[in-house]
Amino acid sequence: MKTRHKLFSFFILLVVVITLPLLSPMVFTNATERGAIRHAIYQEGYPYQSYFAILQKKDDVDPQYGQLYDVYWQSETGMTPSVCYSKKVEDHEYKVSCGTAP
């Protein structure tokens, strides 16, 4: 019986891991600042990092680019730091611009 539960749990975990990239565009939209940043990460070709990235909101707000976030996510070279700006362009729509952190 325990083996059956372990197999079922493993199967559920496998299904979730496989479907994460497929769900990402539906889960992370440009309707919120953080969602827009995660969607931008997904569009850069990093579907799993869009879920597991650490976003830290900074005090800086640029009038041209918007709210600054420090973004940390795992890549082939280890933890990759980035900075992203998220600016509201209309109701429930944010524009994101990201670059590599210094």
Side-chain angles (χ1 to χ4, degrees):
M1 193 67 163
K2 287 185 180 185
T3 304
R4 188 179 255 166
H5 287 301
K6 287 180 184 179
L7 275 174
F8 181 73
S9 297
F10 177 75
F11 177 73
I12 295 297
L13 179 65
L14 185 64
V15 168
V16 168
V17 167
I18 290 171
T19 58
L20 282 178
L22 301 173
L23 295 174
S24 195
M26 293 175 269
V27 174
F28 302 124
T29 65
N30 291 337
T32 65
E33 285 180 319
R34 291 175 185 267
I37 292 171
R38 292 182 187 282
H39 187 69
I41 294 169
Y42 170 82
Q43 287 181 319
E44 289 283 322
Y46 303 99
Y48 292 102
Q49 285 82 350
S50 63
Y51 282 91
F52 302 116
I54 299 167
L55 307 179
Q56 294 179 339
K57 190 174 186 177
K58 305 305 279 182
D59 292 334
D60 301 338
V61 178
D62 186 280
Q64 182 178 356
Y65 297 108
Q67 176 65 52
L68 176 64
Y69 284 84
D70 282 339
V71 181
Y72 301 94
W73 44 278
Q74 191 68 29
S75 72
E76 299 84 19
T77 58
M79 287 297 282
T80 302
S82 301
V83 293
C84 291
Y85 285 94
S86 184
K87 184 176 184 177
K88 190 173 193 171
V89 290
E90 58 184 60
D91 281 346
H92 304 294
E93 182 79 24
Y94 288 85
K95 181 180 177 186
V96 173
S97 59
C98 294
T100 305

